[in-house]
Every structure is written in C-alpha cells, then in structure tokens.
Amino acid sequence: MPATATYQLLDGRACSDALKQRIAQEAAEVLAKRGRAPHLAAVLVGDDGASRTYVEAKVKACEAVGFRSSLIRLPASTTQQELIKQVQALNADADLDGFIVQLPLPDHLDADAVTLAIDPAKDVDGFHPVSLGNMVLGHDGFLPATPSGIVELLRHYGIATNGKHCVVVGRSNIVGTPMSILMSRNSDPGNCTVTLAHSRTRDLAAVTREADILIVAAGKPGLIGAAMVKQGAVVVDVGIHRVDDPSRKSGFRLLGDVRFEEVAPKCAWITPVPGGVGPMTIASLLLNTLKAASDVTRKLVN
Ligand code: GUN
C-alpha cells in the first residue's frame, strides 16, 4: 500500500457493537414491560455450509443482546407444502415476534411463494412484497437487513450523501434493488442521485468511476479494481466469498467484490471484508426484531 494512502475504514464491527448495546437496553425494557424478551426464529433448510454459518451467527447475536432465539433445522428433502406449513405455524405462534427463512433454499423449493406466506407483521427480513412496498412508499415497516445496515453504517460515520452520485452494482431483490431505493429517498442518509448497474450494464468501469458512493453487491469476487473507482470515493463492499488458501489454518480466506488492497488507497472511506457489511446485516435484523416486539408491546399498552 503506498505511504500516501489516507483512507478510513467503515468498521461494521465497531458500529454494530454500538448498535447492539442500544438494542440490549431496549430488549431489557421490552422484557420488563411485557414479561418476555424479543424472540426471533430462523428456519434453515438443508445443510449449505455458508447458510449454516450465517444463521448460527444470527442466533448468537440474539443471545448477546438478551433476545430469545429458536433455530428450526429442516432436512434438504423438505417439500414446499411442509415448508409452507412450518411458516404458517410460525405466523400463528404468539410467543414469537419475528422469523426468517434463510436463503437460498434448495432448488426444488420456491422462495417467492415461501416469502409470500410469511405474515408481514413478522417479516423481520423485510423481504415480503408488503415490506418492500412500504419501503418504496416511504411508509413505516421492516427494511431489508443488508441495505438498512449499510444506511446505518453511513449514518454512524457521518458520511455526507445529500446530492451525491451513488452507484449500486447488482440488482438483487434483497440487496441491490432496495439499496438503490434507500439511497434515493428524501432522507439523511439518502438524497442521492442513484445509478443501478448490473450484469447488462455497458462499460461498467465508466459508470463506477462516476460514483461518489459506490456500493457493490454483484456477487463476483474481485470485480472492482482501482481503475474503476474515483479518487476520494466512499466504497461499500457487500460481497463475501470463501477462497481456498492453504497458507491459512482454516484453509480459506474471505474476499469481497472489491479488490481491497488496490482500491483502498483511492478511497476516502471503505468497508473491510470481513468486518464491514456483514455485522451490520445482523444488527439490522436485531433492530427489526426489536421493532416487531416493540410494536406488539405498543399494541398491548394502547
Ligand atoms: N441469505 C443471504 N442474506 C440473507 C438475509 O439477509 N436473510 C435471509 N433470510 N437469507 C439470506
């Protein structure tokens, strides 16, 4: 790294730790008010290694802030009907504030139909069309965890977004598309002019070089190099990929969609991988669960 590098880290671990402290205090208040802690359930179908790691991290985070958590493991052979029945049971479970079905699901299952079966009042992932519609309209509701975690990260570090050009790379339903909406909203952070780039974008480098704020959620390891980034940009890397590395004890290391070593020296701010967006996604899920529990509490009180 050149000696002139002056970038600062958007440290998702530090930011999520601060958020989790606040969440823990509010969880204690919910417990005092209604006699039970916020309760999140996660459904994991099959045994995809990465999904298991993510779900276990979510359950652990619940314990750390004083939430109850339930992990429901279903075999990879689970049928669509069985999974929908499980979702309906969780919808009806009055002991539960919110739940998620970890994606991706095995190929024979229809994730859209499963998401549609979730009661929007318990949709703490913010993936249900009702949640996404509320987000687009600027109404109160559950925001998808990764995009809202990124907004919180930008807020935490006081990143100026008003009037800036934000380029989002990747148009997935759970990250890129909602991210583009949140950054264009009339709010702070927000008020950006947004370009949503994707796999059919012509001359991606020419587009990303125009970004004051570049958010990359393409799912392609090392897609973004130094020549694709404007000097002084803010870069948020949503990618997280395991690549073999025999020199490490674990046998692998984690890489983002951004080539950190070459891109960081051009940046004003950049997220590390790991320790950037990942911890913020989990903190946002906890925030949504707290909101679900608090909304219930409010309904009980009023
Ligand atoms: N798979 C990757 N990210 C997510 C997420 O935020 N929620 C769920 N349910 N599945 C995911």
Side-chain angles (χ1 to χ4, degrees):
M1 197 181 299
T4 52
T6 56
Y7 69 86
Q8 290 185 271
L9 280 184
L10 293 164
D11 183 342
R13 269 197 200 113
C15 180
S16 76
D17 284 349
L19 259 176
K20 283 194 276 189
Q21 276 195 11
R22 278 177 32 212
I23 293 170
Q25 282 168 6
E26 293 198 31
E29 284 172 24
V30 170
L31 174 61
K33 243 187 227 165
R34 67 168 194 184
R36 59 186 183 84
H39 183 188
L40 171 75
V43 180
L44 177 63
V45 186
D47 42 25
D48 175 71
S51 290
R52 208 177 54 223
T53 308
Y54 296 141
V55 166
E56 284 168 0
K58 289 171 185 177
V59 167
K60 222 170 105 186
C62 282
E63 285 161 17
V65 295
F67 287 10
R68 262 182 74 198
S69 64
S70 303
L71 175 52
I72 298 154
R73 294 175 193 268
L74 300 175
S77 59
T78 302
T79 66
Q80 181 79 12
Q81 204 184 8
E82 286 165 339
L83 183 53
I84 298 276
K85 264 196 158 165
Q86 177 66 73
V87 166
Q88 288 166 342
L90 296 173
N91 285 341
D93 184 347
D95 228 28
L96 194 63
D97 296 298
F99 66 97
I100 66 165
V101 178
Q102 187 66 24
L103 303 177
L105 292 170
D107 286 345
H108 67 281
L109 296 171
D110 177 352
D112 286 344
V114 172
T115 302
L116 206 53
I118 296 173
D119 178 350
K122 291 189 174 181
D123 175 37
V124 287
D125 251 337
F127 293 171
H128 191 283
V130 166
S131 302
L132 292 172
N134 281 330
M135 179 196 67
V136 171
L137 296 170
H139 295 168
D140 187 35
F142 297 118
L143 297 175
T146 298
S148 70
I150 292 169
V151 169
E152 285 309 315
L153 191 60
L154 298 175
R155 190 198 316 279
H156 181 84
Y157 284 99
I159 305 296
T161 60
N162 201 350
K164 297 287 170 71
H165 184 191
C166 175
V167 175
V168 179
V169 184
R171 56 180 161 186
S172 71
N173 288 343
I174 66 175
V175 185
T177 296
M179 191 77 245
S180 69
I181 305 282
L182 293 182
M183 294 306 286
S184 65
R185 285 196 310 187
N186 183 0
S187 63
D188 184 21
N191 283 323
C192 284
T193 303
V194 175
T195 300
L196 181 53
H198 46 74
S199 54
R200 304 288 176 96
T201 294
R202 259 185 287 136
D203 197 353
L204 179 64
V207 175
T208 57
R209 271 198 301 271
E210 292 299 314
D212 303 309
I213 300 169
L214 178 61
I215 302 176
V216 190
K220 294 200 176 117
L223 174 70
I224 303 294
M228 300 172 78
V229 176
K230 187 201 280 198
Q231 187 72 39
V234 175
V235 174
V236 175
D237 187 354
V238 183
I240 187 152
H241 312 274
R242 272 185 193 206
V243 294
D244 290 338
D245 184 349
S247 74
R248 302 234 175 158
K249 216 166 87 186
S250 62
F252 70 87
R253 73 199 152 98
L254 295 171
L255 277 189
D257 287 0
V258 175
R259 282 175 249 152
F260 185 92
E261 293 298 326
E262 63 175 86
V263 169
K266 287 188 88 174
C267 295
W269 294 87
I270 185 168
T271 55
V273 174
V277 173
M280 294 307 299
T281 297
I282 294 184
S284 298
L285 176 65
L286 297 176
L287 264 180
N288 276 348
T289 306
L290 181 66
K291 177 177 167 52
S294 307
D295 286 352
V296 170
T297 307
R298 231 176 285 139
K299 274 179 218 148
L300 287 176
V301 169
N302 295 338

